[in-house]
Coordinates of all heavy atoms in Angstrom, one line a residue:
A297 N -10.5 2.6 -4.4 CA -10.2 1.7 -5.5 C -9.5 2.4 -6.6 O -8.6 1.9 -7.3 CB -11.6 1.1 -6.0
L298 N -10.0 3.6 -6.9 CA -9.4 4.5 -7.9 C -7.9 4.8 -7.5 O -7.0 4.7 -8.3 CB -10.2 5.8 -8.1 CG -9.7 6.7 -9.1 CD1 -9.7 6.1 -10.5 CD2 -10.6 8.0 -9.1
L299 N -7.7 5.2 -6.2 CA -6.3 5.4 -5.8 C -5.4 4.3 -6.0 O -4.3 4.5 -6.4 CB -6.3 5.9 -4.3 CG -5.0 6.1 -3.7 CD1 -4.3 7.4 -4.3 CD2 -5.1 6.3 -2.2
T300 N -5.8 3.1 -5.6 CA -4.9 1.9 -5.8 C -4.6 1.7 -7.2 O -3.4 1.3 -7.5 CB -5.5 0.7 -5.1 OG1 -6.7 0.3 -5.7 CG2 -5.6 0.9 -3.6
E301 N -5.5 1.9 -8.1 CA -5.2 1.7 -9.5 C -4.3 2.8 -10.0 O -3.4 2.5 -10.9 CB -6.5 1.6 -10.4 CG -7.4 0.5 -10.1 CD -6.6 -0.9 -10.2 OE1 -5.9 -1.0 -11.2 OE2 -6.8 -1.8 -9.4
I302 N -4.4 4.0 -9.6 CA -3.5 5.1 -10.0 C -2.1 4.8 -9.5 O -1.1 5.2 -10.2 CB -4.1 6.4 -9.6 CG1 -5.4 6.8 -10.5 CG2 -3.1 7.5 -9.8 CD1 -6.1 8.0 -10.0
L303 N -2.0 4.3 -8.3 CA -0.6 4.1 -7.7 C 0.0 2.9 -8.4 O 1.3 2.9 -8.4 CB -0.8 3.8 -6.2 CG -1.1 5.0 -5.4 CD1 -1.3 4.7 -3.9 CD2 0.0 6.1 -5.5
Q304 N -0.6 1.9 -8.9 CA 0.0 0.7 -9.4 C 1.1 0.9 -10.4 O 2.2 0.3 -10.3 CB -1.0 -0.3 -9.8 CG -1.7 -1.0 -8.7 CD -2.7 -2.1 -9.3 OE1 -2.4 -2.7 -10.3 NE2 -3.8 -2.3 -8.5
P305 N 0.9 1.8 -11.4 CA 1.9 2.1 -12.4 C 3.2 2.6 -11.7 O 4.3 2.4 -12.4 CB 1.4 3.1 -13.3 CG -0.1 2.9 -13.2 CD -0.4 2.5 -11.7
F306 N 3.2 3.2 -10.6 CA 4.4 3.7 -9.9 C 5.1 2.6 -9.1 O 6.1 2.8 -8.5 CB 4.0 4.9 -9.1 CG 3.5 6.1 -9.9 CD1 2.2 6.4 -10.0 CD2 4.5 6.9 -10.5 CE1 1.8 7.4 -10.7 CE2 4.1 7.9 -11.3 CZ 2.7 8.2 -11.4
F307 N 4.5 1.4 -9.1 CA 5.1 0.2 -8.4 C 5.3 -0.9 -9.4 O 5.3 -2.0 -9.0 CB 4.2 -0.2 -7.3 CG 4.2 0.7 -6.1 CD1 3.2 1.8 -6.0 CD2 5.1 0.6 -5.1 CE1 3.3 2.7 -5.0 CE2 5.1 1.5 -4.0 CZ 4.3 2.5 -3.9
N308 N 5.6 -0.5 -10.7 CA 5.8 -1.4 -11.8 C 4.7 -2.5 -11.8 O 5.0 -3.7 -12.1 CB 7.2 -2.1 -11.6 CG 8.3 -1.2 -12.0 OD1 8.2 -0.5 -12.9 ND2 9.3 -1.0 -11.1
R309 N 3.5 -2.1 -11.6 CA 2.3 -2.9 -11.8 C 1.5 -2.3 -12.9 O 1.6 -1.2 -13.3 CB 1.5 -3.0 -10.5 CG 2.2 -3.7 -9.3 CD 2.1 -5.2 -9.5 NE 0.8 -5.8 -9.6 CZ 0.0 -6.1 -8.7 NH1 0.4 -5.9 -7.4 NH2 -1.2 -6.6 -8.9
D310 N 0.5 -3.1 -13.3 CA -0.4 -2.6 -14.4 C -1.7 -2.1 -13.7 O -2.6 -2.9 -13.3 CB -0.7 -3.7 -15.4 CG 0.5 -4.1 -16.2 OD1 1.3 -3.2 -16.4 OD2 0.5 -5.3 -16.6
G311 N -1.9 -0.8 -13.6 CA -3.1 -0.3 -13.1 C -4.1 -0.2 -14.2 O -3.7 0.2 -15.3
R312 N -5.3 -0.5 -14.0 CA -6.4 -0.4 -15.0 C -7.7 0.2 -14.4 O -8.1 -0.3 -13.3 CB -6.8 -1.8 -15.6 CG -5.6 -2.5 -16.3 CD -5.3 -1.9 -17.6 NE -4.4 -2.7 -18.4 CZ -3.1 -2.6 -18.4 NH1 -2.5 -1.7 -17.6 NH2 -2.3 -3.4 -19.1
L313 N -8.3 1.2 -15.1 CA -9.5 1.7 -14.6 C -10.7 0.7 -14.6 O -11.6 0.8 -13.8 CB -9.9 3.0 -15.4 CG -9.0 4.2 -15.1 CD1 -9.4 5.4 -16.0 CD2 -9.0 4.6 -13.6
I314 N -10.5 -0.3 -15.5 CA -11.5 -1.3 -15.6 C -11.6 -2.2 -14.2 O -12.6 -2.6 -13.8 CB -11.3 -2.3 -16.8 CG1 -12.5 -3.2 -17.0 CG2 -10.0 -3.1 -16.5 CD1 -13.6 -2.6 -17.6
D315 N -10.4 -2.2 -13.6 CA -10.4 -2.8 -12.2 C -11.2 -2.0 -11.2 O -11.7 -2.6 -10.3 CB -9.0 -3.0 -11.8 CG -8.3 -4.2 -12.4 OD1 -8.9 -5.0 -13.0 OD2 -7.0 -4.2 -12.4
V316 N -11.3 -0.8 -11.3 CA -12.2 0.0 -10.4 C -13.7 -0.4 -10.6 O -14.4 -0.6 -9.6 CB -12.1 1.5 -10.7 CG1 -13.0 2.3 -9.8 CG2 -10.6 2.0 -10.5
L317 N -14.1 -0.7 -11.8 CA -15.4 -1.3 -12.0 C -15.5 -2.7 -11.4 O -16.6 -3.0 -10.8 CB -15.7 -1.4 -13.6 CG -15.8 -0.1 -14.3 CD1 -16.0 -0.3 -15.7 CD2 -17.0 0.7 -13.7
I318 N -14.5 -3.5 -11.5 CA -14.5 -4.8 -10.8 C -14.6 -4.6 -9.3 O -15.4 -5.4 -8.6 CB -13.3 -5.7 -11.3 CG1 -13.4 -6.0 -12.8 CG2 -13.2 -6.9 -10.5 CD1 -12.2 -6.6 -13.4
D319 N -13.8 -3.7 -8.8 CA -13.8 -3.4 -7.4 C -15.2 -2.9 -6.9 O -15.7 -3.3 -5.9 CB -12.9 -2.3 -7.0 CG -11.4 -2.7 -7.3 OD1 -11.1 -3.9 -7.4 OD2 -10.6 -1.8 -7.4
S320 N -15.9 -2.2 -7.8 CA -17.2 -1.7 -7.5 C -18.3 -2.8 -7.4 O -19.2 -2.6 -6.7 CB -17.6 -0.6 -8.6 OG -16.8 0.5 -8.5
V321 N -18.0 -3.9 -8.1 CA -18.9 -5.1 -7.9 C -18.9 -5.5 -6.5 O -20.0 -5.7 -5.9 CB -18.5 -6.2 -8.8 CG1 -19.3 -7.5 -8.5 CG2 -18.7 -5.8 -10.3
G322 N -17.8 -5.6 -5.9 CA -17.7 -5.9 -4.5 C -18.2 -4.8 -3.6 O -18.9 -5.1 -2.6
I323 N -17.9 -3.6 -3.9 CA -18.3 -2.4 -3.1 C -19.9 -2.3 -3.0 O -20.4 -2.3 -1.9 CB -17.7 -1.1 -3.6 CG1 -16.2 -1.1 -3.4 CG2 -18.4 0.1 -3.0 CD1 -15.5 0.0 -4.2
F324 N -20.5 -2.3 -4.2 CA -21.9 -2.1 -4.2 C -22.7 -3.4 -3.9 O -23.8 -3.4 -3.4 CB -22.4 -1.5 -5.6 CG -22.0 -0.2 -5.7 CD1 -20.9 0.2 -6.5 CD2 -22.6 0.9 -5.0 CE1 -20.4 1.5 -6.6 CE2 -22.2 2.2 -5.2 CZ -21.1 2.5 -5.9
G325 N -22.0 -4.6 -4.1 CA -22.6 -5.9 -3.7 C -22.7 -6.0 -2.3 O -23.7 -6.4 -1.8
A326 N -21.7 -5.6 -1.5 CA -21.7 -5.7 -0.1 C -22.8 -4.7 0.5 O -23.6 -5.1 1.4 CB -20.4 -5.2 0.6
Y327 N -22.9 -3.5 -0.1 CA -23.9 -2.6 0.4 C -25.3 -3.1 0.1 O -26.2 -3.1 0.9 CB -23.6 -1.2 -0.2 CG -24.6 -0.1 0.2 CD1 -24.4 0.4 1.5 CD2 -25.7 0.3 -0.6 CE1 -25.4 1.4 1.9 CE2 -26.6 1.2 -0.2 CZ -26.4 1.8 1.1 OH -27.3 2.7 1.5
G328 N -25.5 -3.6 -1.1 CA -26.8 -4.0 -1.5 C -27.2 -5.3 -0.6 O -28.4 -5.4 -0.2
L329 N -26.3 -6.2 -0.4 CA -26.5 -7.3 0.4 C -27.0 -6.9 1.9 O -27.9 -7.4 2.5 CB -25.4 -8.3 0.5 CG -25.5 -9.5 1.3 CD1 -26.7 -10.4 0.7 CD2 -24.3 -10.4 1.4
C330 N -26.2 -6.0 2.4 CA -26.5 -5.5 3.8 C -27.9 -4.8 3.8 O -28.7 -5.1 4.7 CB -25.5 -4.5 4.2 SG -23.9 -5.2 4.6
R331 N -28.2 -4.1 2.8 CA -29.5 -3.4 2.8 C -30.7 -4.4 2.6 O -31.7 -4.3 3.2 CB -29.6 -2.4 1.6 CG -28.6 -1.3 1.7 CD -28.9 -0.4 2.9 NE -30.1 0.4 2.6 CZ -30.6 1.3 3.4 NH1 -30.0 1.6 4.5 NH2 -31.7 1.8 3.1
L332 N -30.4 -5.5 1.8 CA -31.4 -6.5 1.6 C -31.6 -7.3 2.9 O -32.8 -7.5 3.2 CB -30.9 -7.4 0.5 CG -31.9 -8.6 0.1 CD1 -33.1 -8.0 -0.6 CD2 -31.1 -9.5 -0.9
L333 N -30.6 -7.6 3.6 CA -30.7 -8.3 4.8 C -31.3 -7.5 6.0 O -31.9 -8.1 6.9 CB -29.3 -8.9 5.3 CG -28.8 -9.9 4.4 CD1 -27.3 -10.2 4.8 CD2 -29.6 -11.2 4.3
R334 N -31.2 -6.2 5.9 CA -31.8 -5.4 6.9 C -33.2 -5.0 6.7 O -33.8 -4.3 7.5 CB -30.9 -4.1 7.1 CG -29.5 -4.4 7.6 CD -28.8 -3.2 7.9 NE -29.5 -2.2 8.6 CZ -29.4 -0.9 8.5 NH1 -28.4 -0.5 7.8 NH2 -30.1 -0.1 9.1
R335 N -33.7 -5.3 5.5 CA -35.2 -4.9 5.2 C -36.1 -5.6 6.2 O -35.9 -6.7 6.6 CB -35.5 -5.3 3.8 CG -35.0 -4.5 2.7 CD -35.4 -4.8 1.3 NE -36.5 -5.8 1.2 CZ -36.8 -6.5 0.2 NH1 -36.0 -6.4 -0.9 NH2 -37.8 -7.3 0.1
P336 N -37.1 -4.9 6.6 CA -38.1 -5.5 7.4 C -38.8 -6.7 6.7 O -39.2 -6.6 5.6 CB -39.1 -4.4 7.9 CG -38.8 -3.3 7.0 CD -37.5 -3.5 6.3
K337 N -39.0 -7.7 7.5 CA -39.7 -8.9 6.9 C -41.2 -8.7 6.9 O -41.8 -8.2 7.9 CB -39.3 -10.1 7.6 CG -37.8 -10.5 7.5 CD -37.5 -11.7 8.2 CE -36.1 -12.2 7.9 NZ -35.1 -11.6 8.5
R338 N -41.9 -9.0 5.8 CA -43.3 -8.9 5.7 C -44.0 -10.3 5.8 O -43.5 -11.2 5.3 CB -43.7 -8.3 4.4 CG -43.2 -6.9 4.2 CD -43.7 -6.4 2.9 NE -42.9 -5.2 2.5 CZ -42.8 -4.7 1.4 NH1 -43.6 -5.1 0.4 NH2 -42.1 -3.6 1.2

């Protein structure tokens, strides 16, 4: 996510570090959802 944002200004796009935080919502959301679904049921 960080790499893609750093590269964007070299492709005439607007890279923003805030987008890394937005990307992280998806990154940690997927991981958290997988961990939640894999928890043993009580």
Side-chain angles (χ1 to χ4, degrees):
L298 182 62
L299 176 67
T300 59
E301 292 304 321
I302 290 171
L303 287 175
Q304 282 184 34
F306 295 100
F307 288 90
N308 285 314
R309 293 282 304 274
D310 294 328
R312 301 283 191 267
L313 291 179
I314 193 76
D315 282 343
V316 176
L317 293 176
I318 294 169
D319 298 340
S320 295
V321 169
I323 292 166
F324 291 101
Y327 182 75
L329 181 64
C330 287
R331 299 293 294 181
L332 183 66
L333 293 175
R334 292 186 45 207
R335 283 185 12 200
K337 295 183 171 80
R338 298 180 195 168

